[in-house]
Amino acid sequence: MEHSVKQRPTWRFAITLAVLIFILAGLLVACQRGLVASPPPGVPSGAVDQTLHLQTVTELPLAGGTARFDYQSLDATRQQLYIAHLGASLVTVVDVHIQQVITDIRDIANVHGVLAVPALGKVYASATGSHEVVAIDAQSRRIVRRTAAGNYPDGLAYAPDEGKIFVSDEFGKAVIVLDAHTNALLATIPMEGEVGNTQYDPLSHHILTNVQTRNQIVTIDPKTDQVIARTDVPGCAHPHGLYIEATAQLAFIACEENATLVSLDLASLHVTGTQKTGETPDVLAFDPGLHRLYIAAESGVLTIMTVRGNTMTLFAQGMLAPSAHTVAVDPQTHRLYFPLENSNGQPVLRIMAPL
C-alpha cells in the first residue's frame, strides 16, 4: 500500500528562513556596536560570588606580564584609577567611567605606592627600585620630576594645608617629607622601626603611620614634621595596612603577622574591635555610602566589614583570587577593583559590584 507524503509549502519555508537571517544579522550588528557584550576572558559574564555577595562586572586585560601589583589610587574628579604594577615597573591608568585602560606610565622602578592629588593635578608614585618619589602630571600623564626619598619608599600621604607629601621609608625606618609643589626634600623623621602605610587624617590634620616592628601607630604634626604621639596597638602583630575613617574617627589597621584587623579610636587611642582576616592582610578600602570596609590579603581572602559609628561587624569573608592583596573602591558606583597577577596566564583588572 502506497502512502502519500505531504509537502511543506515553499512560501512558509522561505518566510521562516528570511526571519532567521534577519535576526542573525541584527545580532551581528549589535555585537559590532557593543550592544551585546561578550564574556571577558577568564570569568563568566555576570558571575556571582555568593559568599562575598559580589558580582563580576568585567575583567580588563593589563600590560606588564604576570607580575605583582601593589597600591591603587582613585582620582574621582577625572574618574581615573591609578594602579601600581610593581613587578612591571609601571603605573596603569584606567578610566572607570568607560572601564578601559587609558595608558601605562613606564620607567617607575618597582613602583609600590601611588597617590592621586586632584587639587594639584598630580599623581605621586614611590619608585622603590630607584629609591625615588616620582611626580606625574595628571593631564598629560607624563613624569615631571623625580626626587630621592630614602631607602625603601612605599606608602604615600598628602597633607593639603601644608602642601606636603609624607612617604613611608619602610626599611629606612623613617618617614620622608617632600614639598608637594616642587618635590624638594624637606625632612626625614626617624620612626625607630620599620614603617608600614602612612595616612592623613582630615579631621585632626595629622599624619598617622604604622611602625611594624614596634607594633605602634605614630602621630606626626605636619606643620612641624615632629612626632607628637606613639601608641601601642594591643593584639596587633606587625601593623602594615592602614585606613583612616575620619567621620567616625577610627583608624583601621591590618596586622600582617597575626592576620587581624584592629580598629582604633583616634580620640581615646583605645582599640575598639578586632577581626580575623585572611593570612597577611595588606590593602584596605572603604565605601562610605555602603559603610563597608574591604580588607584584601596576600592569601587571596577578602574580608568585608560593616562599619557604623565606632562599631564594626563582619559582613562577608571568602577567597577572591590568588594573591588578590590590593583593592580600590569607587564610592560613587560602589564598584571594586582588584588587579590580579595571573588570570588564565595574563594580568587582569577584575571589576566587581555589590549584589
Side-chain angles (χ1 to χ4, degrees):
M1 182 176 180
E2 295 183 358
H3 298 276
S4 62
V5 179
K6 188 175 182 180
Q7 299 293 324
R8 178 181 295 177
T10 56
W11 63 270
R12 289 184 181 176
F13 177 76
I15 290 174
T16 302
L17 183 61
V19 170
L20 288 173
I21 292 172
F22 179 79
I23 292 172
L24 289 172
L27 287 172
L28 178 61
V29 171
C31 287
Q32 290 173 340
R33 293 180 180 178
L35 299 176
V36 176
S38 57
V43 62
S45 179
V48 172
D49 188 319
Q50 297 288 2
T51 301
L52 292 170
H53 306 285
L54 297 175
Q55 182 173 15
T56 297
V57 176
T58 190
E59 281 191 353
L60 303 181
L62 299 176
T66 54
R68 183 178 175 82
F69 291 92
D70 211 354
Y71 291 107
Q72 306 175 74
S73 184
L74 177 68
D75 181 343
T77 60
R78 289 183 171 83
Q79 293 188 302
Q80 292 180 3
L81 178 68
Y82 300 88
I83 305 170
H85 198 165
L86 190 162
S89 294
L90 58 83
V91 170
T92 296
V93 187
V94 176
D95 186 313
V96 297
H97 177 63
I98 61 174
Q99 296 182 154
Q100 289 184 7
V101 174
I102 300 173
T103 190
D104 294 301
I105 305 168
R106 300 181 181 275
D107 194 25
I108 307 176
N110 302 123
V111 54
H112 279 71
V114 62
L115 177 67
V117 182
L120 300 181
K122 289 183 180 179
V123 179
Y124 299 87
S126 54
T128 307
S130 55
H131 318 291
E132 298 173 317
V133 168
V134 175
I136 301 164
D137 179 79
Q139 182 65 33
S140 65
R141 296 183 286 276
R142 294 180 181 276
I143 295 172
V144 294
R145 190 158 304 198
R146 296 174 180 270
T147 304
N151 174 264
Y152 198 93
D154 189 3
L156 301 160
Y158 173 61
D161 294 342
E162 293 74 24
K164 296 176 181 177
I165 299 292
F166 289 78
V167 188
S168 304
D169 184 2
E170 185 170 1
F171 300 130
K173 301 180 180 180
V175 170
I176 308 297
V177 188
L178 304 179
D179 186 305
H181 300 279
T182 66
N183 262 43
L185 178 65
L186 297 177
T188 299
I189 308 171
M191 287 292 109
E192 302 177 8
E194 290 180 8
V195 183
N197 200 6
T198 297
Q199 293 286 312
Y200 175 71
D201 176 10
L203 195 62
S204 69
H205 303 275
H206 290 153
I207 293 290
L208 296 123
T209 190
N210 289 330
V211 181
Q212 300 172 157
T213 47
R214 295 176 65 92
N215 298 331
Q216 290 180 334
I217 188 166
V218 171
T219 306
I220 299 170
D221 184 345
K223 290 185 173 64
T224 63
D225 299 331
Q226 297 293 316
V227 172
I228 58 175
R230 292 180 179 271
T231 305
D232 293 333
V233 185
C236 182
H238 211 262
H240 182 74
L242 177 63
Y243 182 86
I244 305 299
E245 210 294 89
T247 304
Q249 274 295 275
L250 290 175
F252 294 105
I253 304 168
C255 312
E256 289 184 324
E257 290 186 356
N258 62 336
T260 300
L261 173 74
V262 170
S263 62
L264 184 77
D265 185 292
L266 291 175
S268 66
L269 296 178
H270 290 155
V271 170
T272 61
T274 61
Q275 171 63 46
K276 297 303 290 185
T277 66
E279 289 298 318
T280 319
D282 190 359
V283 179
L284 298 88
F286 184 65
D287 184 337
L290 295 180
H291 305 279
R292 288 182 189 172
L293 178 71
Y294 298 91
I295 306 99
E298 297 279 1
S299 60
V301 172
L302 179 68
T303 302
I304 307 174
M305 304 296 294
T306 299
V307 179
R308 294 190 180 276
N310 63 355
T311 302
M312 65 176 189
T313 55
L314 181 64
F315 176 77
Q317 188 175 78
M319 183 68 182
L320 181 83
S323 304
H325 70 105
T326 174
V327 56
V329 62
D330 184 341
Q332 296 180 353
T333 63
H334 309 295
R335 286 181 174 174
L336 297 158
Y337 298 87
F338 299 95
L340 306 179
E341 294 177 26
N342 190 339
S343 178
N344 291 335
Q346 70 173 19
V348 299
L349 178 63
R350 181 173 296 175
I351 303 174
M352 306 187 81
L355 295 176

